[in-house]
Amino acid sequence: MKVVVTGAAGFLGSRVADELLSNGLGNKKVTELILTDIHAPPARQDPRVKVLALNLAEPSAADKLIDEKCGAVFHLAAVVSGQAEADFDFGMKANLDATRSLLEAVRHKSPTAKFVFASSVAVFGGDFPPVIDDLTCVMPQTSYGTAKAMCELLVNDYARRGFADGRSVRLPTVSVRAGVANAAVTSFASGIIREPLNGKESICPVKEDQEIWLTSPVTVVKNIVHAAVVDAKLLGKWRSINLPGLCASVGDMVSALRSVAGDDVASLIRFEYDAFIAKIVASLPIKIDNSHALKLGFSVDPDFSAIIRSYIKYDLKK
Amino acid sequence: MKVVVTGAAGFLGSRVADELLSNGLGNKKVTELILTDIHAPPARQDPRVKVLALNLAEPSAADKLIDEKCGAVFHLAAVVSGQAEADFDFGMKANLDATRSLLEAVRHKSPTAKFVFASSVAVFGGDFPPVIDDLTCVMPQTSYGTAKAMCELLVNDYARRGFADGRSVRLPTVSVRAGVANAAVTSFASGIIREPLNGKESICPVKEDQEIWLTSPVTVVKNIVHAAVVDAKLLGKWRSINLPGLCASVGDMVSALRSVAGDDVASLIRFEYDAFIAKIVASLPIKIDNSHALKLGFSVDPDFSAIIRSYIKYDLKK
């Protein structure tokens, strides 16, 4: 099967590529893998891989990417929340228009292709119940969440009409991301664990009692790939899935770091309140009912200590 | 105040114009009223009125329509449900892109203007609870409902960012519309009352037990105008409002017609099942909790017999 991954130079995109190359897609082997991003992703030794630099906000880009042989698209490219909030036009172009162009290309060239769209829990916001489920209304309080919610509607309608076999997965905040901080307002949720484990100080812009809905990279990558495998019949009339996650407060995260790595490491976290970030983070959901996603075969992390240990095992000092 | 009405040649648009000219907007007088549609709306004697033919799907149209003096926009222009389902591209252009262009023009020229967007209960669909409320998730099962739901998200984000003082009103099915049938899948909900009262046979494409969520033209026009007057603070974090309506089955509607106008009139309805129409109508919501909208000062019709009498009084043989 020929597969396309956008945002493939990014943290999650490159790992989705690894997973596809190692384990295929369900019972299908990946025979051709196109990895694209605004700058070409690093070349790989694997002869199945082609890398491609493309600005998906250009109207012609999607046409260059999708062809008749395309069996699955993992659309992970996005402008992150902080940047989309700071630059509305840029965010809408990258997060809404680019997704629409990709869906159009799939519709006209390979309408049976699986189209996995990386959405976000940021579609929720404002007034929501203590525990969110599949029937909780979206009410985004960021332009990032707004564009994601708009794309979910498109993905669902394209699926309903047979234009693309779309599936939107709402990603929890991913922690611990390897690498460096980014412009996501939730970047600190990785930074407060990653930097101290690397002997560096890290600033936490929210208060200790702020709760966050979290997933590890390993689990979310497995879940993103699984989204292309789920039987369409099980998805019913709505193609958006809340990926499983777990709820932890910043205080819980710090305690977990202390128990796994010791006091000296945990003491490298410094609290410096940032009202802009704190307000957006406070608008995000903190508890979602995992039962539907687990029934569909998605996975969940056991607890945040396990997430830290997984980072230490796979990513620390790589 | 300068006010713009799109879709102003249409049934609701022309009545919203009447209402604005007669009663103003809250405690403000309308001093200039721009009425636009794809064909120029009929000229009026009133010196405050300018009529304008504009294709809002053209990128430059919104800029011609909105200027710095604009105090309110009533955006009623749309491609109706049946047509948007038959021609996806045309529907998205008219229902999504045109709204986005208008919002952009307001953002750059008159960001404090009220922007009243005519949405629809067709944003609901698929799995919904027996009674819908403000926190029920949207899950449209038509491309019309999809575009409307996408626009609601934009309207909300433009309002949140201070780009436009947006308010989306979800219209129940309007009955009894005067005039002739249109391509809306719910067109019959007017036809089965209007045609018999005018001595003509009318075909009902759904079964007698199909329930519908209804409003009269008089009430919905008052409510659309009221949407621009509601205090923004009362709207909270979500700018979409389910306009009040009442639930009646087709059987109830026929009985009401029989009681108001007699057996001979009611016997002009012929049932001829149409699976395409019936499926879409069955996906629409039939009961919505009116309490929030009533608290915000919107109105509701007492019952369907009153709606028929209102049609007879104001519209029959005009």
Side-chain angles (χ1 to χ4, degrees):
Chain A
M1 183 188 274
K2 179 172 180 175
V3 178
V4 168
V5 178
T6 74
F11 176 69
L12 290 181
S14 67
R15 288 173 187 225
V16 166
D18 295 341
E19 173 74 16
L20 289 166
L21 289 168
S22 304
N23 299 321
L25 201 52
N27 55 9
K28 294 210 175 105
K29 280 192 179 155
V30 173
T31 52
E32 203 179 339
L33 183 64
I34 313 293
L35 302 181
T36 189
D37 212 311
I38 187 96
H39 303 294
R44 291 178 183 239
Q45 293 304 320
D46 196 309
R48 296 174 292 173
V49 174
K50 272 184 215 144
V51 299
L52 197 58
L54 269 183
N55 178 0
L56 292 173
E58 297 289 335
S60 62
D63 257 348
K64 290 181 192 149
L65 197 58
I66 309 293
D67 67 16
E68 286 69 12
K69 291 185 297 167
C70 179
V73 179
F74 291 87
H75 179 36
L76 307 179
V79 161
V80 295
S81 49
Q83 203 179 349
E85 200 59 20
D87 187 342
F88 177 80
D89 298 314
F90 182 59
M92 279 291 157
K93 225 172 191 166
N95 292 342
L96 171 60
D97 296 331
T99 306
R100 194 173 171 192
S101 297
L102 277 175
L103 283 166
E104 276 293 283
V106 170
R107 168 188 175 195
H108 291 291
K109 294 188 177 171
S110 192
T112 58
K114 313 290 182 201
F115 187 93
V116 176
F117 171 63
S119 184
S120 163
V121 293
V123 297
F124 299 112
D127 306 319
F128 45 72
V131 180
I132 282 171
D133 65 24
D134 293 338
L135 295 181
T136 301
C137 66
V138 307
M139 203 181 279
Q141 300 300 310
T142 59
S143 296
Y144 174 78
T146 297
K148 291 290 185 189
M150 292 177 78
C151 291
E152 287 189 5
L153 284 156
L154 274 185
V155 167
N156 197 60
D157 208 45
Y158 274 64
R160 187 185 63 80
R161 297 188 73 118
F163 290 173
D165 192 350
R167 294 103 197 274
S168 299
V169 283
R170 293 171 179 156
L171 272 58
T173 294
V174 179
S175 173
V176 184
R177 288 173 177 266
V180 294
N182 69 12
V185 292
T186 51
S187 182
F188 73 88
S190 290
I192 59 169
I193 308 299
R194 183 185 60 231
E195 313 310 2
L197 283 171
N198 284 282
K200 291 180 202 150
E201 189 175 74
S202 177
I203 288 168
C204 182
V206 304
K207 296 193 173 149
E208 263 197 284
D209 61 356
Q210 175 67 55
E211 293 179 304
I212 312 176
W213 185 244
L214 295 161
T215 182
S216 72
V218 175
T219 298
V220 85
V221 164
K222 265 193 199 313
N223 284 338
I224 290 169
V225 173
H226 181 67
V229 178
V230 175
D231 185 352
K233 281 186 213 112
L234 298 177
L235 296 172
K237 290 178 175 171
W238 190 240
R239 295 300 189 98
S240 300
I241 302 150
N242 297 320
L243 287 190
L246 57 87
C247 174
S249 70
V250 168
D252 294 337
M253 295 167 76
V254 175
S255 297
L257 181 63
R258 184 168 285 118
S259 74
V260 170
D263 277 345
D264 287 355
V265 169
S267 68
L268 289 167
I269 301 168
R270 192 150 56 80
F271 284 83
E272 211 169 89
Y273 189 74
D274 180 318
F276 174 80
I277 291 178
K279 188 185 165 196
I280 296 182
V281 173
S283 80
L284 298 174
I286 52 173
K287 275 193 193 98
I288 300 182
D289 182 347
N290 287 332
S291 54
H292 180 220
L294 294 178
K295 241 183 264 168
L296 293 172
F298 292 96
S299 318
V300 68
D301 297 294
D303 58 46
F304 194 70
S305 297
I307 292 180
I308 297 177
R309 282 191 296 267
S310 158
Y311 170 78
I312 293 172
K313 185 170 166 189
Y314 295 111
D315 290 305
L316 189 60
K317 281 175 193 159
K318 270 192 182 165
Chain B
M1 183 190 275
K2 178 172 180 176
V3 178
V4 168
V5 178
T6 74
F11 176 71
L12 290 180
S14 66
R15 289 175 185 225
V16 166
D18 295 342
E19 173 74 16
L20 290 167
L21 290 168
S22 305
N23 299 321
L25 199 53
N27 56 9
K28 294 210 174 107
K29 281 195 180 150
V30 173
T31 51
E32 202 180 341
L33 183 63
I34 313 294
L35 303 180
T36 188
D37 212 311
I38 187 99
H39 304 293
R44 294 178 182 237
Q45 295 303 321
D46 195 309
R48 296 174 291 172
V49 175
K50 272 184 215 145
V51 298
L52 196 59
L54 269 183
N55 178 359
L56 292 174
E58 297 288 335
S60 62
D63 256 348
K64 290 180 192 149
L65 196 59
I66 308 295
D67 67 15
E68 286 67 14
K69 290 186 297 167
C70 179
V73 180
F74 291 87
H75 177 36
L76 307 178
V79 161
V80 294
S81 51
Q83 203 178 350
E85 200 59 20
D87 187 343
F88 177 81
D89 298 315
F90 183 58
M92 279 291 158
K93 225 171 191 164
N95 292 342
L96 172 60
D97 297 331
T99 307
R100 194 172 170 192
S101 297
L102 277 175
L103 283 167
E104 277 292 283
V106 170
R107 168 188 175 194
H108 291 292
K109 293 186 177 171
S110 192
T112 58
K114 313 287 181 201
F115 187 93
V116 176
F117 171 63
S119 185
S120 163
V121 293
V123 297
F124 298 114
D127 305 318
F128 45 71
V131 179
I132 283 171
D133 64 23
D134 293 338
L135 294 182
T136 302
C137 65
V138 307
M139 205 182 277
Q141 299 299 310
T142 59
S143 296
Y144 174 78
T146 297
K148 291 290 187 190
M150 291 176 78
C151 291
E152 287 189 4
L153 284 157
L154 273 186
V155 167
N156 197 62
D157 208 44
Y158 274 64
R160 187 184 63 81
R161 297 188 73 119
F163 290 171
D165 192 351
R167 293 103 195 274
S168 299
V169 282
R170 293 170 179 157
L171 272 58
T173 295
V174 178
S175 172
V176 183
R177 287 171 177 268
V180 293
N182 68 14
V185 293
T186 52
S187 182
F188 73 90
S190 290
I192 60 170
I193 308 300
R194 182 185 60 231
E195 313 308 5
L197 283 171
N198 285 283
K200 293 180 202 150
E201 189 175 73
S202 177
I203 287 168
C204 182
V206 305
K207 297 194 171 146
E208 264 197 283
D209 61 354
Q210 175 67 56
E211 292 179 303
I212 311 177
W213 185 245
L214 295 161
T215 183
S216 72
V218 174
T219 298
V220 84
V221 164
K222 266 193 199 310
N223 284 338
I224 290 169
V225 173
H226 181 67
V229 179
V230 176
D231 184 351
K233 280 185 215 111
L234 299 176
L235 296 173
K237 290 179 176 170
W238 189 239
R239 295 299 189 98
S240 300
I241 302 149
N242 297 319
L243 286 190
L246 58 87
C247 174
S249 70
V250 168
D252 295 337
M253 295 166 77
V254 175
S255 300
L257 181 62
R258 183 170 285 117
S259 76
V260 170
D263 277 345
D264 288 355
V265 169
S267 68
L268 288 167
I269 301 167
R270 192 151 55 80
F271 284 83
E272 211 169 90
Y273 189 74
D274 180 317
F276 173 80
I277 291 177
K279 189 185 165 195
I280 296 182
V281 173
S283 80
L284 298 175
I286 52 173
K287 277 193 192 95
I288 300 182
D289 182 348
N290 286 333
S291 54
H292 180 219
L294 294 178
K295 239 182 267 169
L296 294 173
F298 293 96
S299 317
V300 67
D301 299 293
D303 57 48
F304 195 69
S305 298
I307 291 180
I308 296 177
R309 283 192 294 269
S310 158
Y311 171 78
I312 293 172
K313 184 169 170 192
Y314 295 111
D315 290 304
L316 190 61
K317 281 174 195 163
K318 270 195 181 165

